[in-house]
Amino acid sequence: MLGNFTYSNPTKLHFGKDALNGLNEELPKYGKNVLLVYGGGSIKKNGIYDQVIKILKDNGKNIYEDSGVMPNPTSEKLNEGIERAKAANADLILAVGGGSVCDYAKAVSVSVNAGEDAWDKYFIRFEDVSCDVIPVGCVLTMVGTGSEMNGGSVITNHDQKLKIGHVFGDNVFPKFSILNPEFTYTIPRYQMISGIYDVMSHILEQYFSGTDDNTSDYIMEGLLRSLIHSADIAIENPTDYEARSNIMWIATWALNTLVAKGKTTDWMVHMIGQAIAAHTDATHGMTLSAVSIPYYRRILPYGTAKFARYAVNVWDVDTQGKTDVQIAEEGLREMDTWMRKLGLVMNIRELGVTQSMFDAIIKSTLIMDGGYKVFDENDVRAVLQSAL
Ligand code: NZQ
Ligand code: ZN
């Protein structure tokens, strides 16, 4: 562990089939006015909405609603949410949904009292929060982003063709999150596998960096093995509680800041994926799956030893008589085969990308420098070309 770091995670989790009862423990800590934030209506179909409303009423809360949070929430919707939270004089924002709803709730929470344009302040200028933050709680219904236990908030601006994440500090993390694996049973298959790959990608973004011996890498190998094992079960039987609960727990630990400790991190798959989404509005996990293998093939020569370790420790590649490069390449082949078996999108054409969009997508791609190779425009173009 060569780096200096501070670790703290303020989010309290209630996990399991009875997790929603945890709301009764949390709600009395906040004032009367609750802004209930949710998406396009899945929670009304699967009954989660009614359960949450009952608990809010039992706890004597005034309920205000802000619905219609779309996947890849937009800056326009954020501005609407700020007005709704102000009108409600919200003491608590309760997000009931997936990463989009949870991210949006956090964005609203830091913007209501900001007194200036939230998109410009947080997503263009990346400023810290300097105003009062409305507390956020989360009832998670879709697994993948880790938003339930982190400070991340990703907002899309369609006019500017930008999809940008701001990673806020401890004060913006959800105060509590309710994680009931059964709430995820109704997720459509496309979203379920997209979420599973989002989890894998979060781990790999933090795994493929550095050359020192770091405990975080061992934790990530364990998380990856458990994820692959449980995903194989969940795609055969989506209501297998054991598998779905493991996936939910792995997702939380994949991006709650723990496994990044003592490391630099890469995040270029996410940067390219987000740029693609800014132009296509495609589903988050699929924007990652479509570019991952071309991206990793391109950086493999710069981090061969780590890719070989990944092949052996995660994919059980046999090393007998092989060079590191051969082992590393075999690991990526195993990963590619598994991804196809899961049913992930493996090319950007399927997401609506054409060659004529490359220049614009490259322009929307932020470059990060924590991985094995610092990309330039040509590298991004080469990955897009291989992924087409
Ligand atoms: O809107 P509703 O009707 O609720 O339907 C949603 C939505 O259409 C549906 N859904 C969710 N739970 C369901 C369900 N349908 C049936 N049954 C359920 N139990 O699933 C669809 C997708 O939901 P969404 O919240 O968009 O998915 P996800 O959790 O993947 O969130 C994606 C957003 O999170 C951002 C992404 O960029 C994207 O904007 N991310 C946030 C991160 C963070 N906070 O740290 C990191 C990630 O890398 C990611 O960037
Ligand atoms: Zn992600």
Side-chain angles (χ1 to χ4, degrees):
M1 304 295 284
L2 299 182
N4 296 295
F5 59 83
T6 302
Y7 179 71
S8 128
N9 193 313
T11 304
K12 184 166 167 188
L13 301 178
H14 298 269
F15 190 96
K17 291 182 185 184
D18 300 330
L20 196 60
N21 293 337
L23 261 188
N24 289 310
E25 191 183 317
E26 301 303 332
L27 289 174
K29 298 175 189 167
Y30 305 94
K32 283 229 171 271
N33 298 333
V34 176
L35 183 68
L36 178 66
V37 174
Y38 57 98
S42 69
I43 63 164
K44 289 201 168 161
K45 287 194 202 114
N46 59 24
I48 297 171
Y49 174 86
D50 289 341
Q51 294 179 56
V52 170
I53 291 285
K54 181 173 185 315
I55 296 176
L56 286 169
K57 284 187 176 156
D58 289 349
N59 281 272
K61 301 295 181 184
N62 302 323
I63 305 165
Y64 300 85
E65 298 199 13
D66 179 8
S67 64
V69 179
M70 61 293 283
N72 304 326
T74 63
S75 49
E76 288 92 337
K77 178 67 186 164
L78 170 57
N79 289 334
E80 184 192 315
I82 295 167
E83 293 313 315
R84 281 180 187 272
K86 278 184 187 163
N89 200 9
D91 298 307
L92 173 72
I93 301 176
L94 186 62
V96 184
S100 293
V101 173
C102 202
D103 279 17
Y104 168 85
K106 288 180 226 172
V108 171
S109 79
V110 296
S111 303
V112 170
N113 299 310
E116 57 184 302
D117 186 83
W119 168 260
D120 283 347
K121 179 178 174 65
Y122 296 122
F123 299 93
I124 295 293
R125 300 200 304 272
F126 283 101
E127 286 178 17
D128 287 336
V129 184
S130 53
C131 60
D132 284 347
V133 177
I134 301 174
V136 169
C138 169
V139 177
L140 194 68
T141 67
M142 153 88 200
V143 166
T145 64
S147 189
E148 66 274 15
M149 203 185 190
N150 70 34
S153 176
V154 184
I155 299 294
T156 298
N157 184 315
H158 286 301
D159 291 341
Q160 296 177 18
K161 297 278 181 223
L162 288 172
K163 180 179 181 183
I164 307 282
H166 186 131
V167 181
F168 292 100
D170 285 19
N171 53 337
V172 184
F173 282 42
K175 299 288 176 246
F176 62 87
S177 284
I178 307 286
L179 308 183
N180 180 344
E182 288 182 334
F183 286 0
T184 69
Y185 285 175
T186 52
I187 296 169
R189 189 184 176 87
Y190 188 85
Q191 294 292 343
M192 178 182 91
I193 59 175
S194 168
I196 288 170
Y197 189 72
D198 192 20
V199 179
M200 177 171 274
S201 179
H202 293 160
I203 301 171
L204 296 180
E205 300 272 33
Q206 299 167 93
Y207 181 77
F208 286 122
S209 65
T211 51
D212 56 321
D213 187 47
N214 190 313
T215 303
S216 293
D217 288 331
Y218 297 82
I219 297 172
M220 286 190 271
E221 286 163 357
L223 291 174
L224 285 165
R225 290 189 73 95
S226 180
L227 178 68
I228 294 162
H229 176 74
S230 290
D232 286 345
I233 296 167
I235 48 164
E236 293 299 326
N237 181 10
T239 55
D240 185 301
Y241 182 84
E242 197 172 39
R244 295 304 286 267
S245 62
N246 283 326
I247 295 170
M248 192 171 219
W249 194 227
I250 299 160
T252 301
W253 285 93
L255 198 53
N256 71 358
T257 76
L258 176 83
V259 300
K261 293 305 167 198
K263 296 189 58 133
T264 60
T265 48
D266 185 336
W267 294 110
M268 275 313 295
V269 168
H270 270 67
M271 293 306 105
I272 300 170
Q274 283 175 205
I276 289 169
H279 291 266
T280 60
D281 210 26
T283 299
H284 175 62
M286 298 308 191
T287 65
L288 310 175
S289 61
V291 300
S292 281
I293 297 290
Y295 176 76
Y296 290 129
R297 292 215 162 107
R298 193 156 182 95
I299 64 165
L300 185 149
Y302 305 89
T304 307
K306 192 62 163 288
F307 278 92
R309 172 177 164 172
Y310 170 63
V312 173
N313 291 353
V314 177
W315 297 103
D316 294 327
V317 168
D318 179 19
T319 58
Q320 203 74 33
K322 294 173 195 155
T323 64
D324 263 11
V325 174
Q326 287 168 330
I327 296 165
E329 284 173 348
E330 202 174 318
L332 289 187
R333 277 199 298 278
E334 290 285 338
M335 178 179 167
D336 181 85
T337 304
W338 181 80
M339 290 171 74
R340 288 177 196 280
K341 193 181 79 185
L342 213 62
L344 291 160
V345 174
M346 298 299 282
N347 65 75
I348 55 178
R349 232 175 319 114
E350 222 175 290
L351 304 175
V353 176
T354 58
Q355 196 143 19
S356 64
M357 293 160 73
F358 281 11
D359 284 340
I361 291 172
I362 291 165
K363 215 169 145 219
S364 303
T365 305
L366 303 187
I367 301 292
M368 312 291 263
D369 61 4
Y372 286 122
K373 181 183 194 314
V374 179
F375 260 34
D376 60 23
E377 286 190 4
N378 286 335
D379 291 307
V380 179
R381 189 179 301 279
V383 168
L384 293 175
Q385 191 65 52
S386 314
L388 195 62

